[in-house]
Amino acid sequence: MRRVPWPFPRDAELWRYRVLGAVIPDLDDVIVRERSFPPSPKHPIVPLHIRPTLLAGVAIVERAGPEMLKMLTARTFGHNRNRFIEETDHLINPAFGLPGPRQMQLI
């Protein structure tokens, strides 16, 4: 998914800013230097040295929960925003509709 970076880049560079780059600083620059990433039919497997970073980013988003998904939704734009909302809506809305756990439930 693409996101809106800040400060806004030149038009030619807008394609490279992905949502995970909002979570992991400098990830967009590392991915641009990779010739085989993102995966394509020619190179379907993610390079070994990028896998830990992607897993760490997913873990950060997973641990932060619905609040992180709402922040990332706000940073996406256009068709990507609609796709992101469709994919994450079922994760965000139920979490905000329920009251938080009481202290005794956390113990």
Side-chain angles (χ1 to χ4, degrees):
M1 300 284 181
R2 302 283 186 259
R3 68 179 168 89
V4 179
W6 189 258
F8 202 73
R10 297 184 304 260
D11 290 335
E13 295 181 354
L14 196 56
W15 62 271
R16 72 183 195 148
Y17 292 94
R18 292 179 169 76
V19 172
L20 197 54
V23 178
I24 301 173
D26 301 325
L27 180 64
D28 296 319
D29 296 330
V30 170
I31 290 177
V32 165
R33 287 183 284 214
E34 277 300 314
R35 288 187 170 78
S36 62
F37 193 81
S40 66
K42 185 177 180 183
H43 301 283
I45 299 173
V46 176
L48 286 174
H49 63 280
I50 292 182
R51 291 179 193 180
T53 306
L54 295 176
L55 289 174
V58 170
I60 290 168
V61 171
E62 191 270 332
R63 288 223 173 150
E67 293 82 13
M68 176 70 80
L69 292 175
K70 286 187 72 143
M71 183 273 295
L72 292 174
T73 301
R75 290 197 168 196
T76 58
F77 63 97
H79 179 67
N80 292 317
R81 182 184 179 109
N82 295 336
R83 286 180 40 214
F84 195 84
I85 290 171
E86 287 174 10
E87 295 295 325
T88 61
D89 195 38
H90 69 282
L91 300 170
I92 295 173
N93 287 335
F96 284 108
L98 300 174
R102 292 180 293 172
Q103 186 175 5
M104 291 302 292
Q105 292 174 328
L106 296 173
I107 297 177

